[in-house]
Tab-separated table of all heavy atoms in Angstrom:
chain	number	residue	atom	x	y	z
A	1395	ASP	N	-58.107	106.070	-22.978
A	1395	ASP	CA	-58.984	107.105	-23.509
A	1395	ASP	C	-58.236	108.432	-23.358
A	1395	ASP	O	-57.658	108.706	-22.308
A	1395	ASP	CB	-60.285	107.110	-22.707
A	1395	ASP	CG	-61.310	108.108	-23.234
A	1395	ASP	OD1	-60.935	109.023	-23.996
A	1395	ASP	OD2	-62.489	107.979	-22.875
A	1396	SER	N	-58.257	109.237	-24.383
A	1396	SER	CA	-57.487	110.483	-24.342
A	1396	SER	C	-58.001	111.453	-23.277
A	1396	SER	O	-57.283	112.351	-22.858
A	1396	SER	CB	-57.504	111.165	-25.708
A	1396	SER	OG	-58.817	111.525	-26.061
A	1397	ARG	N	-59.216	111.268	-22.822
A	1397	ARG	CA	-59.781	112.165	-21.810
A	1397	ARG	C	-59.422	111.753	-20.389
A	1397	ARG	O	-59.625	112.519	-19.452
A	1397	ARG	CB	-61.300	112.221	-21.965
A	1397	ARG	CG	-61.719	112.796	-23.332
A	1397	ARG	CD	-63.164	112.573	-23.587
A	1397	ARG	NE	-63.392	111.139	-23.787
A	1397	ARG	CZ	-64.500	110.611	-24.258
A	1397	ARG	NH1	-65.514	111.380	-24.561
A	1397	ARG	NH2	-64.629	109.312	-24.416
A	1398	ALA	N	-58.876	110.551	-20.210
A	1398	ALA	CA	-58.510	110.068	-18.872
A	1398	ALA	C	-57.231	110.761	-18.402
A	1398	ALA	O	-56.377	111.129	-19.209
A	1398	ALA	CB	-58.295	108.553	-18.896
A	1399	PRO	N	-57.052	110.947	-17.088
A	1399	PRO	CA	-55.825	111.566	-16.585
A	1399	PRO	C	-54.591	110.694	-16.855
A	1399	PRO	O	-54.722	109.489	-17.110
A	1399	PRO	CB	-56.066	111.695	-15.085
A	1399	PRO	CG	-57.359	111.077	-14.784
A	1399	PRO	CD	-58.004	110.638	-16.044
A	1400	ARG	N	-53.416	111.302	-16.780
A	1400	ARG	CA	-52.163	110.610	-17.109
A	1400	ARG	C	-52.021	109.276	-16.387
A	1400	ARG	O	-51.658	108.271	-16.990
A	1400	ARG	CB	-50.969	111.503	-16.760
A	1400	ARG	CG	-49.632	110.829	-17.040
A	1400	ARG	CD	-48.471	111.589	-16.472
A	1400	ARG	NE	-48.478	111.484	-15.020
A	1400	ARG	CZ	-47.595	112.067	-14.244
A	1400	ARG	NH1	-46.667	112.819	-14.754
A	1400	ARG	NH2	-47.663	111.923	-12.932
A	1401	ASN	N	-52.265	109.255	-15.101
A	1401	ASN	CA	-52.137	108.020	-14.329
A	1401	ASN	C	-53.489	107.428	-13.970
A	1401	ASN	O	-53.610	106.657	-13.038
A	1401	ASN	CB	-51.318	108.265	-13.056
A	1401	ASN	CG	-49.868	108.549	-13.371
A	1401	ASN	OD1	-49.372	108.171	-14.436
A	1401	ASN	ND2	-49.188	109.222	-12.472
A	1402	GLY	N	-54.501	107.790	-14.742
A	1402	GLY	CA	-55.848	107.313	-14.466
A	1402	GLY	C	-56.152	105.995	-15.164
A	1402	GLY	O	-55.260	105.178	-15.420
A	1403	ALA	N	-57.424	105.812	-15.464
A	1403	ALA	CA	-57.898	104.569	-16.071
A	1403	ALA	C	-57.250	104.345	-17.435
A	1403	ALA	O	-57.004	105.280	-18.186
A	1403	ALA	CB	-59.409	104.625	-16.217
A	1404	PHE	N	-56.976	103.079	-17.734
A	1404	PHE	CA	-56.423	102.729	-19.038
A	1404	PHE	C	-57.035	101.418	-19.498
A	1404	PHE	O	-57.624	100.671	-18.707
A	1404	PHE	CB	-54.895	102.644	-18.993
A	1404	PHE	CG	-54.355	101.600	-18.058
A	1404	PHE	CD1	-54.042	100.338	-18.518
A	1404	PHE	CD2	-54.159	101.889	-16.714
A	1404	PHE	CE1	-53.542	99.378	-17.656
A	1404	PHE	CE2	-53.658	100.940	-15.847
A	1404	PHE	CZ	-53.353	99.675	-16.319
A	1405	ILE	N	-56.881	101.126	-20.772
A	1405	ILE	CA	-57.490	99.936	-21.354
A	1405	ILE	C	-56.548	98.744	-21.265
A	1405	ILE	O	-56.946	97.658	-20.862
A	1405	ILE	CB	-57.877	100.208	-22.823
A	1405	ILE	CG1	-58.873	101.363	-22.894
A	1405	ILE	CG2	-58.439	98.950	-23.477
A	1405	ILE	CD1	-59.103	101.925	-24.269
A	1406	GLU	N	-55.282	98.956	-21.635
A	1406	GLU	CA	-54.328	97.845	-21.685
A	1406	GLU	C	-52.898	98.365	-21.565
A	1406	GLU	O	-52.570	99.423	-22.074
A	1406	GLU	CB	-54.496	97.115	-23.028
A	1406	GLU	CG	-53.559	95.961	-23.222
A	1406	GLU	CD	-53.735	95.281	-24.573
A	1406	GLU	OE1	-54.484	95.775	-25.435
A	1406	GLU	OE2	-53.092	94.242	-24.757
A	1407	THR	N	-52.031	97.579	-20.913
A	1407	THR	CA	-50.599	97.875	-20.840
A	1407	THR	C	-49.919	97.114	-21.974
A	1407	THR	O	-50.106	95.907	-22.114
A	1407	THR	CB	-50.010	97.419	-19.491
A	1407	THR	OG1	-50.691	98.103	-18.437
A	1407	THR	CG2	-48.527	97.732	-19.410
A	1408	ILE	N	-49.125	97.819	-22.785
A	1408	ILE	CA	-48.490	97.165	-23.936
A	1408	ILE	C	-46.964	97.259	-23.910
A	1408	ILE	O	-46.316	96.910	-24.887
A	1408	ILE	CB	-49.037	97.724	-25.265
A	1408	ILE	CG1	-48.901	99.235	-25.331
A	1408	ILE	CG2	-50.477	97.305	-25.457
A	1408	ILE	CD1	-49.338	99.840	-26.632
A	1409	GLY	N	-46.404	97.730	-22.813
A	1409	GLY	CA	-44.952	97.783	-22.707
A	1409	GLY	C	-44.516	98.644	-21.542
A	1409	GLY	O	-45.337	99.108	-20.752
A	1410	TYR	N	-43.194	98.826	-21.432
A	1410	TYR	CA	-42.674	99.703	-20.391
A	1410	TYR	C	-41.392	100.376	-20.855
A	1410	TYR	O	-40.754	99.961	-21.822
A	1410	TYR	CB	-42.454	98.963	-19.073
A	1410	TYR	CG	-41.424	97.849	-19.120
A	1410	TYR	CD1	-40.068	98.107	-18.961
A	1410	TYR	CD2	-41.808	96.528	-19.311
A	1410	TYR	CE1	-39.129	97.090	-18.995
A	1410	TYR	CE2	-40.884	95.508	-19.346
A	1410	TYR	CZ	-39.540	95.797	-19.185
A	1410	TYR	OH	-38.605	94.794	-19.236
A	1411	TYR	N	-41.028	101.452	-20.151
A	1411	TYR	CA	-39.840	102.247	-20.461
A	1411	TYR	C	-39.210	102.673	-19.146
A	1411	TYR	O	-39.873	103.216	-18.276
A	1411	TYR	CB	-40.253	103.471	-21.281
A	1411	TYR	CG	-39.203	104.542	-21.407
A	1411	TYR	CD1	-37.959	104.276	-21.974
A	1411	TYR	CD2	-39.460	105.839	-20.983
A	1411	TYR	CE1	-37.009	105.260	-22.103
A	1411	TYR	CE2	-38.515	106.839	-21.113
A	1411	TYR	CZ	-37.291	106.543	-21.672
A	1411	TYR	OH	-36.345	107.524	-21.800
A	1412	ASN	N	-37.909	102.374	-18.987
A	1412	ASN	CA	-37.178	102.783	-17.788
A	1412	ASN	C	-35.998	103.651	-18.219
A	1412	ASN	O	-34.999	103.146	-18.721
A	1412	ASN	CB	-36.687	101.563	-17.017
A	1412	ASN	CG	-36.049	101.941	-15.703
A	1412	ASN	OD1	-35.828	103.109	-15.426
A	1412	ASN	ND2	-35.754	100.945	-14.887
A	1413	PRO	N	-36.095	104.965	-18.036
A	1413	PRO	CA	-35.034	105.868	-18.470
A	1413	PRO	C	-33.807	105.866	-17.557
A	1413	PRO	O	-32.777	106.432	-17.919
A	1413	PRO	CB	-35.707	107.239	-18.451
A	1413	PRO	CG	-36.756	107.117	-17.404
A	1413	PRO	CD	-37.236	105.691	-17.485
A	1414	LEU	N	-33.884	105.242	-16.387
A	1414	LEU	CA	-32.783	105.293	-15.426
A	1414	LEU	C	-31.697	104.258	-15.694
A	1414	LEU	O	-30.595	104.378	-15.166
A	1414	LEU	CB	-33.315	105.135	-14.002
A	1414	LEU	CG	-34.307	106.210	-13.562
A	1414	LEU	CD1	-34.777	105.944	-12.150
A	1414	LEU	CD2	-33.695	107.591	-13.672
A	1415	THR	N	-31.992	103.224	-16.464
A	1415	THR	CA	-30.966	102.223	-16.766
A	1415	THR	C	-30.038	102.771	-17.845
A	1415	THR	O	-30.365	103.730	-18.537
A	1415	THR	CB	-31.607	100.906	-17.246
A	1415	THR	OG1	-32.381	101.161	-18.417
A	1415	THR	CG2	-32.466	100.294	-16.167
A	1416	ASP	N	-28.873	102.174	-17.984
A	1416	ASP	CA	-27.934	102.627	-19.004
A	1416	ASP	C	-27.595	101.458	-19.914
A	1416	ASP	O	-26.892	100.544	-19.480
A	1416	ASP	CB	-26.664	103.174	-18.349
A	1416	ASP	CG	-25.755	103.851	-19.352
A	1416	ASP	OD1	-26.279	104.355	-20.365
A	1416	ASP	OD2	-24.536	103.870	-19.119
A	1417	PRO	N	-28.052	101.401	-21.129
A	1417	PRO	CA	-28.951	102.337	-21.821
A	1417	PRO	C	-30.397	102.172	-21.334
A	1417	PRO	O	-30.733	101.154	-20.723
A	1417	PRO	CB	-28.846	101.904	-23.293
A	1417	PRO	CG	-28.548	100.453	-23.230
A	1417	PRO	CD	-27.684	100.263	-21.991
A	1418	PRO	N	-31.239	103.168	-21.611
A	1418	PRO	CA	-32.637	103.085	-21.174
A	1418	PRO	C	-33.318	101.823	-21.707
A	1418	PRO	O	-33.088	101.417	-22.838
A	1418	PRO	CB	-33.277	104.337	-21.774
A	1418	PRO	CG	-32.136	105.291	-21.924
A	1418	PRO	CD	-30.948	104.442	-22.260
A	1419	THR	N	-34.141	101.203	-20.871
A	1419	THR	CA	-34.840	99.972	-21.239
A	1419	THR	C	-36.183	100.311	-21.865
A	1419	THR	O	-36.965	101.054	-21.283
A	1419	THR	CB	-35.087	99.116	-19.978
A	1419	THR	OG1	-33.853	98.914	-19.314
A	1419	THR	CG2	-35.706	97.785	-20.330
A	1420	ILE	N	-36.420	99.741	-23.042
A	1420	ILE	CA	-37.702	99.908	-23.715
A	1420	ILE	C	-38.171	98.520	-24.128
A	1420	ILE	O	-37.480	97.827	-24.868
A	1420	ILE	CB	-37.583	100.790	-24.974
A	1420	ILE	CG1	-36.986	102.147	-24.644
A	1420	ILE	CG2	-38.946	100.940	-25.640
A	1420	ILE	CD1	-36.591	102.955	-25.853
A	1421	LYS	N	-39.334	98.115	-23.639
A	1421	LYS	CA	-39.894	96.822	-24.032
A	1421	LYS	C	-41.331	97.055	-24.468
A	1421	LYS	O	-42.112	97.661	-23.742
A	1421	LYS	CB	-39.875	95.836	-22.867
A	1421	LYS	CG	-40.395	94.463	-23.256
A	1421	LYS	CD	-40.298	93.498	-22.101
A	1421	LYS	CE	-40.743	92.107	-22.492
A	1421	LYS	NZ	-42.116	92.018	-22.934
A	1422	VAL	N	-41.651	96.607	-25.688
A	1422	VAL	CA	-43.001	96.790	-26.211
A	1422	VAL	C	-43.501	95.498	-26.842
A	1422	VAL	O	-42.716	94.685	-27.325
A	1422	VAL	CB	-43.067	97.926	-27.259
A	1422	VAL	CG1	-42.748	99.262	-26.635
A	1422	VAL	CG2	-42.142	97.652	-28.418
A	1423	ASP	N	-44.809	95.325	-26.824
A	1423	ASP	CA	-45.451	94.202	-27.483
A	1423	ASP	C	-45.859	94.693	-28.875
A	1423	ASP	O	-46.902	95.326	-29.039
A	1423	ASP	CB	-46.666	93.751	-26.670
A	1423	ASP	CG	-47.321	92.506	-27.225
A	1423	ASP	OD1	-47.041	92.134	-28.376
A	1423	ASP	OD2	-48.127	91.898	-26.501
A	1424	GLU	N	-45.014	94.406	-29.872
A	1424	GLU	CA	-45.230	94.924	-31.228
A	1424	GLU	C	-46.574	94.499	-31.813
A	1424	GLU	O	-47.235	95.279	-32.485
A	1424	GLU	CB	-44.105	94.468	-32.149
A	1424	GLU	CG	-42.769	95.055	-31.786
A	1424	GLU	CD	-41.661	94.532	-32.675
A	1424	GLU	OE1	-41.928	94.212	-33.851
A	1424	GLU	OE2	-40.518	94.446	-32.189
A	1425	GLU	N	-46.969	93.279	-31.542
A	1425	GLU	CA	-48.233	92.773	-32.080
A	1425	GLU	C	-49.416	93.593	-31.560
A	1425	GLU	O	-50.311	93.971	-32.311
A	1425	GLU	CB	-48.394	91.309	-31.677
A	1425	GLU	CG	-49.597	90.634	-32.269
A	1425	GLU	CD	-49.651	89.172	-31.878
A	1425	GLU	OE1	-48.608	88.497	-31.892
A	1425	GLU	OE2	-50.768	88.720	-31.550
A	1426	ARG	N	-49.409	93.893	-30.262
A	1426	ARG	CA	-50.504	94.676	-29.674
A	1426	ARG	C	-50.479	96.123	-30.176
A	1426	ARG	O	-51.529	96.725	-30.391
A	1426	ARG	CB	-50.431	94.658	-28.149
A	1426	ARG	CG	-50.588	93.285	-27.527
A	1426	ARG	CD	-51.876	92.596	-27.900
A	1426	ARG	NE	-53.045	93.292	-27.372
A	1426	ARG	CZ	-54.299	92.962	-27.651
A	1426	ARG	NH1	-54.561	91.954	-28.435
A	1426	ARG	NH2	-55.292	93.650	-27.135
A	1427	ILE	N	-49.269	96.677	-30.359
A	1427	ILE	CA	-49.181	98.040	-30.892
A	1427	ILE	C	-49.774	98.086	-32.291
A	1427	ILE	O	-50.544	98.988	-32.622
A	1427	ILE	CB	-47.727	98.549	-30.884
A	1427	ILE	CG1	-47.312	98.839	-29.448
A	1427	ILE	CG2	-47.581	99.787	-31.747
A	1427	ILE	CD1	-45.908	99.336	-29.294
A	1428	ARG	N	-49.420	97.113	-33.136
A	1428	ARG	CA	-49.991	97.051	-34.493
A	1428	ARG	C	-51.517	96.992	-34.432
A	1428	ARG	O	-52.200	97.694	-35.174
A	1428	ARG	CB	-49.469	95.827	-35.237
A	1428	ARG	CG	-48.100	95.981	-35.753
A	1428	ARG	CD	-47.749	94.865	-36.710
A	1428	ARG	NE	-46.327	94.869	-36.933
A	1428	ARG	CZ	-45.477	94.027	-36.369
A	1428	ARG	NH1	-45.910	93.078	-35.570
A	1428	ARG	NH2	-44.189	94.110	-36.612
A	1429	LEU	N	-52.034	96.152	-33.552
A	1429	LEU	CA	-53.477	96.000	-33.423
A	1429	LEU	C	-54.137	97.328	-33.059
A	1429	LEU	O	-55.114	97.742	-33.679
A	1429	LEU	CB	-53.815	94.945	-32.362
A	1429	LEU	CG	-55.307	94.777	-32.073
A	1429	LEU	CD1	-55.962	93.986	-33.191
A	1429	LEU	CD2	-55.506	94.095	-30.743
A	1430	TRP	N	-53.586	98.020	-32.063
A	1430	TRP	CA	-54.192	99.277	-31.627
A	1430	TRP	C	-54.051	100.372	-32.679
A	1430	TRP	O	-54.952	101.200	-32.840
A	1430	TRP	CB	-53.619	99.716	-30.280
A	1430	TRP	CG	-54.242	98.947	-29.163
A	1430	TRP	CD1	-53.681	97.953	-28.420
A	1430	TRP	CD2	-55.585	99.076	-28.697
A	1430	TRP	NE1	-54.587	97.459	-27.512
A	1430	TRP	CE2	-55.768	98.134	-27.662
A	1430	TRP	CE3	-56.654	99.895	-29.039
A	1430	TRP	CZ2	-56.971	97.989	-26.982
A	1430	TRP	CZ3	-57.851	99.747	-28.354
A	1430	TRP	CH2	-58.000	98.809	-27.343
A	1431	LEU	N	-52.945	100.381	-33.420
A	1431	LEU	CA	-52.801	101.363	-34.487
A	1431	LEU	C	-53.828	101.100	-35.593
A	1431	LEU	O	-54.384	102.038	-36.157
A	1431	LEU	CB	-51.384	101.344	-35.055
A	1431	LEU	CG	-50.310	101.900	-34.124
A	1431	LEU	CD1	-48.930	101.682	-34.726
A	1431	LEU	CD2	-50.537	103.368	-33.823
A	1432	GLN	N	-54.077	99.830	-35.885
A	1432	GLN	CA	-55.105	99.485	-36.871
A	1432	GLN	C	-56.473	99.960	-36.412
A	1432	GLN	O	-57.296	100.378	-37.222
A	1432	GLN	CB	-55.180	97.976	-37.072
A	1432	GLN	CG	-54.123	97.418	-37.965
A	1432	GLN	CD	-54.272	95.916	-38.110
A	1432	GLN	OE1	-54.901	95.256	-37.275
A	1432	GLN	NE2	-53.695	95.374	-39.150
A	1433	ARG	N	-56.720	99.877	-35.123
A	1433	ARG	CA	-58.011	100.301	-34.574
A	1433	ARG	C	-58.130	101.815	-34.464
A	1433	ARG	O	-59.161	102.320	-34.030
A	1433	ARG	CB	-58.221	99.687	-33.190
A	1433	ARG	CG	-58.415	98.205	-33.230
A	1433	ARG	CD	-58.622	97.671	-31.840
A	1433	ARG	NE	-58.873	96.242	-31.841
A	1433	ARG	CZ	-59.044	95.523	-30.746
A	1433	ARG	NH1	-59.003	96.104	-29.556
A	1433	ARG	NH2	-59.262	94.243	-30.825
A	1434	GLY	N	-57.077	102.547	-34.798
A	1434	GLY	CA	-57.156	104.002	-34.809
A	1434	GLY	C	-56.539	104.703	-33.622
A	1434	GLY	O	-56.695	105.916	-33.476
A	1435	ALA	N	-55.829	103.979	-32.764
A	1435	ALA	CA	-55.182	104.625	-31.614
A	1435	ALA	C	-54.042	105.513	-32.111
A	1435	ALA	O	-53.310	105.142	-33.027
A	1435	ALA	CB	-54.638	103.579	-30.651
A	1436	GLN	N	-53.898	106.676	-31.513
A	1436	GLN	CA	-52.852	107.622	-31.889
A	1436	GLN	C	-51.776	107.665	-30.812
A	1436	GLN	O	-52.082	107.932	-29.660
A	1436	GLN	CB	-53.446	109.027	-32.050
A	1436	GLN	CG	-54.434	109.143	-33.184
A	1436	GLN	CD	-53.770	108.928	-34.522
A	1436	GLN	OE1	-52.695	109.466	-34.791
A	1436	GLN	NE2	-54.399	108.138	-35.362
A	1437	PRO	N	-50.500	107.389	-31.155
A	1437	PRO	CA	-49.443	107.499	-30.149
A	1437	PRO	C	-49.112	108.962	-29.871
A	1437	PRO	O	-49.205	109.811	-30.752
A	1437	PRO	CB	-48.254	106.782	-30.793
A	1437	PRO	CG	-48.520	106.837	-32.254
A	1437	PRO	CD	-50.017	106.886	-32.424
A	1438	THR	N	-48.735	109.245	-28.630
A	1438	THR	CA	-48.303	110.600	-28.287
A	1438	THR	C	-46.915	110.824	-28.882
A	1438	THR	O	-46.265	109.890	-29.357
A	1438	THR	CB	-48.243	110.777	-26.758
A	1438	THR	OG1	-47.304	109.842	-26.230
A	1438	THR	CG2	-49.604	110.590	-26.122
A	1439	GLU	N	-46.438	112.062	-28.836
A	1439	GLU	CA	-45.110	112.377	-29.376
A	1439	GLU	C	-44.024	111.582	-28.660
A	1439	GLU	O	-43.099	111.063	-29.283
A	1439	GLU	CB	-44.823	113.867	-29.233
A	1439	GLU	CG	-45.624	114.734	-30.186
A	1439	GLU	CD	-45.269	116.200	-30.030
A	1439	GLU	OE1	-44.102	116.521	-29.712
A	1439	GLU	OE2	-46.176	117.025	-30.239
A	1440	ALA	N	-44.128	111.484	-27.334
A	1440	ALA	CA	-43.117	110.752	-26.557
A	1440	ALA	C	-43.088	109.274	-26.950
A	1440	ALA	O	-42.009	108.689	-27.107
A	1440	ALA	CB	-43.403	110.896	-25.067
A	1441	VAL	N	-44.245	108.674	-27.121
A	1441	VAL	CA	-44.308	107.264	-27.495
A	1441	VAL	C	-43.766	107.071	-28.907
A	1441	VAL	O	-43.030	106.112	-29.175
A	1441	VAL	CB	-45.754	106.722	-27.375
A	1441	VAL	CG1	-45.872	105.339	-27.982
A	1441	VAL	CG2	-46.182	106.704	-25.917
A	1442	THR	N	-44.074	107.980	-29.809
A	1442	THR	CA	-43.558	107.896	-31.174
A	1442	THR	C	-42.033	107.922	-31.167
A	1442	THR	O	-41.383	107.123	-31.851
A	1442	THR	CB	-44.106	109.065	-32.026
A	1442	THR	OG1	-45.530	109.011	-32.017
A	1442	THR	CG2	-43.611	108.968	-33.457
């Protein structure tokens, strides 16, 4: 929910990002992202 704090309550985890590895590790569940985008979820600039 956009009103929840950054590290507060969330609905679902759909991936992770580790900037400390070389190259940075990005793993996402594409199917779940598609589903949430269809439902109207808006990604933040960083996620985009």
Side-chain angles (χ1 to χ4, degrees):
D1395 183 343
S1396 63
R1397 298 168 291 192
R1400 178 190 71 181
N1401 291 337
F1404 61 94
I1405 300 167
E1406 179 181 8
T1407 300
I1408 55 176
Y1410 63 85
Y1411 167 59
N1412 186 351
L1414 300 179
T1415 59
D1416 189 28
T1419 306
I1420 304 169
K1421 182 177 183 299
V1422 295
D1423 185 345
E1424 294 177 30
E1425 185 177 318
R1426 297 303 294 174
I1427 288 180
R1428 282 192 194 102
L1429 176 77
W1430 281 106
L1431 289 173
Q1432 280 180 339
R1433 291 180 178 178
Q1436 295 295 315
T1438 61
E1439 288 182 32
V1441 170
T1442 302

